[in-house]
């Protein structure tokens, strides 16, 4: 009898254990739902893309329930794409802007989240918040870097041409162009197949003269408060200098794109590119051993005028209508950290706006830091535009500059006359003063 009871007891125990195991197998294990953040940008340079990839991977590691879709768009079509997506209510969770002025329509229609009181902004150098702040003090983007407008040059190419130091006057600049060409080096690389580079070939000159005149001349032109012919910031001289140096660009510049132009500089086949400091990333992505330097565009024959334009405007924007905006705020908190700032400077080869990071992280920037930043030979162009907000006027401006390049005589007066006529057809002049 005892044996029978023992057998029954053991059998029940086994049955109970089996039931326990079976019930454990059928209980579902809850997994956090994975969400995807869509981030659209206009970075072409490998280092900038690497920064985005590494930064978002770091976030995903810390927050496994999130993943990212990073979409790069050609800079020339970038804002048009964003506006098309806004119209169709298909905006990404996050996106980049270059400046607040060009993104006012996106801000007005609710596609930008107000970041004014976010704690992570305390990690940003206060000097660089003005470029993302509207007149009422609201902050609409997380700034990421300090952009400069000037000349990027290949030090080895300069040495081969016997140029001992960068030019500080316009006369020296032209002499150096001749010296480079004499030893078989293209003085200035031009990638006009990408039309935005034409604008940036004159941007450093245009910005320096707007700053010298303490005037937002492009806004005045756009509003009809002045004309090209009135020559308020010596635009005729800007065009004249452009025409003078066009003889020193590579053959068939309209058959050469931006990537090919950077490659010419990376290989030492060209001596200079006149553009923004982001060019350093693009060139070093193609040849990490490139021995590059930076110098201010010398628009006059007074060495004291040769100042390097630096600014921080625009940055990372969160779509206020995004269902993932809380997660996006956490992304910005990470991207405002020294950890990601170091990733940025290491890969993008650009000056970060994050506090406590060095200015001499790359040999190219040592020269910029020593020659210009530490000596106060810089100016802030965060409130000065390089583009017209009205896209019809912008197209006219690009087309006029293109025609000027193609004109073998580089006729300054004709270009200015045609610009004024075309602008008058598009916008209605007003007589208010600023």
């Amino acid at each position: 009898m005892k044996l029978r009871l023992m057998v029954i007891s053991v059998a029940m125990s086994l049955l109970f254990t089996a039931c326990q195991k079976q019930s454990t197998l059928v209980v579902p294990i809850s997994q956090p739902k994975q969400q995807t953040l869509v981030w659209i940008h206009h970075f072409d340079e490998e280092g900038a893309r690497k920064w985005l990839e590494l930064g978002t991977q770091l976030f995903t590691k810390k927050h496994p329930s999130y993943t990212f879709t990073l979409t790069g768009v050609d800079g020339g079509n970038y804002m048009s794409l964003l506006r098309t997506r806004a119209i169709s209510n298909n905006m990404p969770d996050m996106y980049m802007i270059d400046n607040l002025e060009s993104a006012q329509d996106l801000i007005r229609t609710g596609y930008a989240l107000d970041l004014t009181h976010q704690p992570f902004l305390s990690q940003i150098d206060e000097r660089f918040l003005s470029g993302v702040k509207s007149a009422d003090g609201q902050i609409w983007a997380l700034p990421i870097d300090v952009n400069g407008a000037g000349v990027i040059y290949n030090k080895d190419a300069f040495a081969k041409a016997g140029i001992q130091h960068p030019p500080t006057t316009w006369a020296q600049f032209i002499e150096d162009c001749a010296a480079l060409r004499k030893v078989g080096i293209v003085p200035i690389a031009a990638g006009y197949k990408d039309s935005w580079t034409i604008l940036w070939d004159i941007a450093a000159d245009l910005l320096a003269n707007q700053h010298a005149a303490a005037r937002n001349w492009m806004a005045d032109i756009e509003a009809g408060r002045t004309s090209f012919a009135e020559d308020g910031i010596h635009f005729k001289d800007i065009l004249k200098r452009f025409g003078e140096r066009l003889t020193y660009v590579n053959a068939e510049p309209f058959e050469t794109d931006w990537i090919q132009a950077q490659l010419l500089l990376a290989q030492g086949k060209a001596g200079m590119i006149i553009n923004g400091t982001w060019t350093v990333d693009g060139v070093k992505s193609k040849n990490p051993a490139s021995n590059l330097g930076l110098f201010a565009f010398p628009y006059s024959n007074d060495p004291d005028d040769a100042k390097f334009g630096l600014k921080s405007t625009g940055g990372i924007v969160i779509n206020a209508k995004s269902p993932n905006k809380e997660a996006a705020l956490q992304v910005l908190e990470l991207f405002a950290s020294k950890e990601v700032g170091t990733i940025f400077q290491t890969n993008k080869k650009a000056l970060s706006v994050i506090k406590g990071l060095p200015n001499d992280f790359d040999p190219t920037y040592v020269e910029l830091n020593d020659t210009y930043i530490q000596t106060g030979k810089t100016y802030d162009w965060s409130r000065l535009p390089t583009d017209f907000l009205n896209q019809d006027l912008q197209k006219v401006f690009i087309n006029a500059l293109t025609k000027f390049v193609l004109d073998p005589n580089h006729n300054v007066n004709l270009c200015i006359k045609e610009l004024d006529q075309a602008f008058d057809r598009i916008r209605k002049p007003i007589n208010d003063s600023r």
Side-chain angles (χ1 to χ4, degrees), residues 216-293:
N216 188 336
W217 174 82
M218 294 190 77
D220 289 343
I221 286 282
E222 182 156 359
R225 288 184 283 266
T226 188
S227 67
F228 290 94
E230 286 178 10
D231 204 27
I233 61 163
H234 309 291
F235 186 66
K236 289 181 181 179
D237 289 336
I238 293 171
L239 279 182
K240 183 180 178 183
R241 283 188 289 272
F242 187 33
E244 283 183 49
R245 66 178 183 271
L246 281 172
T247 188
Y248 293 108
V249 304
N250 46 282
E252 300 182 337
F254 288 100
E255 300 300 318
T256 306
D257 63 22
W258 177 233
I259 292 175
Q260 292 169 320
Q262 292 175 94
L263 192 58
L264 287 173
L265 190 65
Q267 296 172 337
K269 295 179 180 178
M272 296 176 277
I273 285 181
I274 306 170
N275 208 284
T277 49
W278 51 81
T279 307
V280 175
D281 177 15
V283 173
K284 290 206 168 187
S285 295
K286 293 158 186 63
N287 179 11
S290 300
N291 187 12
L292 303 181

Side-chain angles (χ1 to χ4, degrees), residues 58-118:
L58 185 60
F59 183 85
T60 299
K61 185 177 180 180
K62 295 181 178 183
H63 305 274
S65 59
Y66 288 96
T67 187
F68 290 83
T69 297
L70 302 174
T71 303
V73 178
D74 173 68
N77 302 316
Y78 180 72
M79 291 304 295
S80 297
L81 172 75
L82 283 183
R83 292 186 173 100
T84 299
R85 292 186 69 132
I87 291 170
S88 60
N89 197 26
N90 186 31
M91 283 288 282
D93 300 293
M94 304 169 68
Y95 58 96
M96 313 297 298
I97 60 169
D98 286 333
N99 56 70
L100 291 190
E101 287 76 14
S102 64
Q104 282 300 310
D105 54 333
L106 299 178
I107 294 172
R108 283 195 307 270
T109 50
Y111 288 109
L113 184 67
D114 182 3
L115 304 177
T116 308
H117 301 294
Q118 292 300 323

